[in-house]
Amino acid sequence: LGLGDAQWLLRDRQAALDSYRNGAQAAQQADDPWVEGFCLRQTGVILLEQDEVDQAAEAAERAIEVFRGADEKRGTGMALLTLANCHSARSDHGEAIERSREAVRLFTSIDDRWSVAWANCHLGLALTESGAHAEALGVYEDALEVFREFGNKRNQARALIGIAEAQHPLGHLPEARRSYTAAAEILQSLEDPQTADLLQRLQHLNTALNEQ
């Protein structure tokens, strides 16, 4: 599992996939559902990155089954979010929203506030994709508050981008510009390559504001 994580972070997806699959098999033999579940969940994450959506969903569903069998609520929630992403990839926004809400409820039940915020970012994205921008704005703002309490800069930027993406279609263009700017400043301080994309979005937004 650890080797797979390292390979995944180095963007060596095939090596990571092999490690996660071997890890899941070894963990099953060792009767370790926590490791098995997270190996399966990460297998789903990589398969989804490779646009193999059906196989990714199968891995996520298997992870959920393993975690539930062990009453591992946080693992179940994380696998539900992977499954939600699979539904989003199929444009099945209703299922993506429901699976994300289920994860939020699980994380809330174990008082895991960071994971609630993480799940709210998934929920916010599914709501935005479904056109429920006002509700998306609210859950992203909740996530941002928690990430600020934890001092988690990268996920503050993630929540701010989500906020901006919800504000823009609501016609809140000056507010969206502020949110994108705040996110860009954070990512720039982290030397994140996503900064360039955000600056481009800001340029388009400034053009739209100037034309008003």
Side-chain angles (χ1 to χ4, degrees):
L1 174 60
L3 179 60
D5 288 345
Q7 291 162 331
W8 178 54
L9 290 169
L10 289 169
R11 313 309 293 171
D12 190 349
R13 289 191 178 95
Q14 189 54 54
L17 202 54
D18 291 342
S19 293
Y20 288 137
R21 284 171 169 161
N22 290 335
Q25 184 178 14
Q28 186 180 45
Q29 293 170 352
D31 192 24
D32 189 334
W34 190 93
V35 172
E36 183 185 0
F38 274 105
C39 282
L40 288 166
R41 187 247 179 177
Q42 284 301 110
T43 297
V45 168
I46 292 177
L47 289 169
L48 187 57
E49 289 179 346
Q50 296 175 332
D51 295 323
E52 297 178 39
V53 181
D54 291 343
Q55 291 184 49
E58 288 175 10
E61 287 166 352
R62 176 62 183 144
I64 292 167
E65 181 182 347
V66 169
F67 281 134
R68 282 179 172 160
D71 196 29
E72 168 50 57
K73 290 185 171 59
R74 186 174 185 276
T76 303
M78 287 298 182
L80 281 165
L81 294 179
T82 303
L83 185 58
N85 290 341
C86 293
H87 287 303
S88 289
R90 294 167 171 159
S91 298
D92 190 350
H93 304 307
E95 281 295 318
I97 289 168
E98 286 309 307
R99 300 291 77 75
S100 298
R101 289 195 197 281
E102 191 176 350
V104 169
R105 289 194 294 269
L106 272 175
F107 296 142
T108 301
S109 74
I110 58 174
D111 197 26
D112 186 341
R113 295 182 66 243
W114 189 94
S115 295
V116 170
W118 180 256
N120 270 332
C121 285
H122 285 75
L123 176 58
L125 178 60
L127 288 166
T128 297
E129 291 175 340
S130 74
H133 303 299
E135 187 177 357
L137 181 59
V139 297
Y140 273 126
E141 288 173 340
D142 288 345
L144 177 62
E145 181 179 350
V146 173
F147 289 137
R148 280 177 172 161
E149 288 179 22
F150 278 85
N152 189 315
K153 293 288 188 181
R154 193 172 299 279
N155 282 311
Q156 286 177 44
R158 181 183 185 188
L160 282 162
I161 292 168
I163 288 169
E165 290 174 342
Q167 289 168 327
H168 195 166
L170 290 170
H172 304 163
L173 301 192
E175 293 86 348
R177 177 167 60 184
R178 285 196 292 272
S179 298
Y180 275 135
T181 300
E185 289 172 351
I186 291 171
L187 292 180
Q188 197 163 29
S189 72
L190 298 172
E191 299 182 353
D192 191 296
Q194 192 180 0
T195 307
D197 174 65
L198 282 187
L199 293 175
Q200 190 171 28
R201 292 194 203 186
L202 272 169
Q203 186 176 2
H204 291 316
L205 194 53
N206 284 329
T207 301
L209 281 164
N210 292 334
E211 289 174 354
Q212 287 185 342

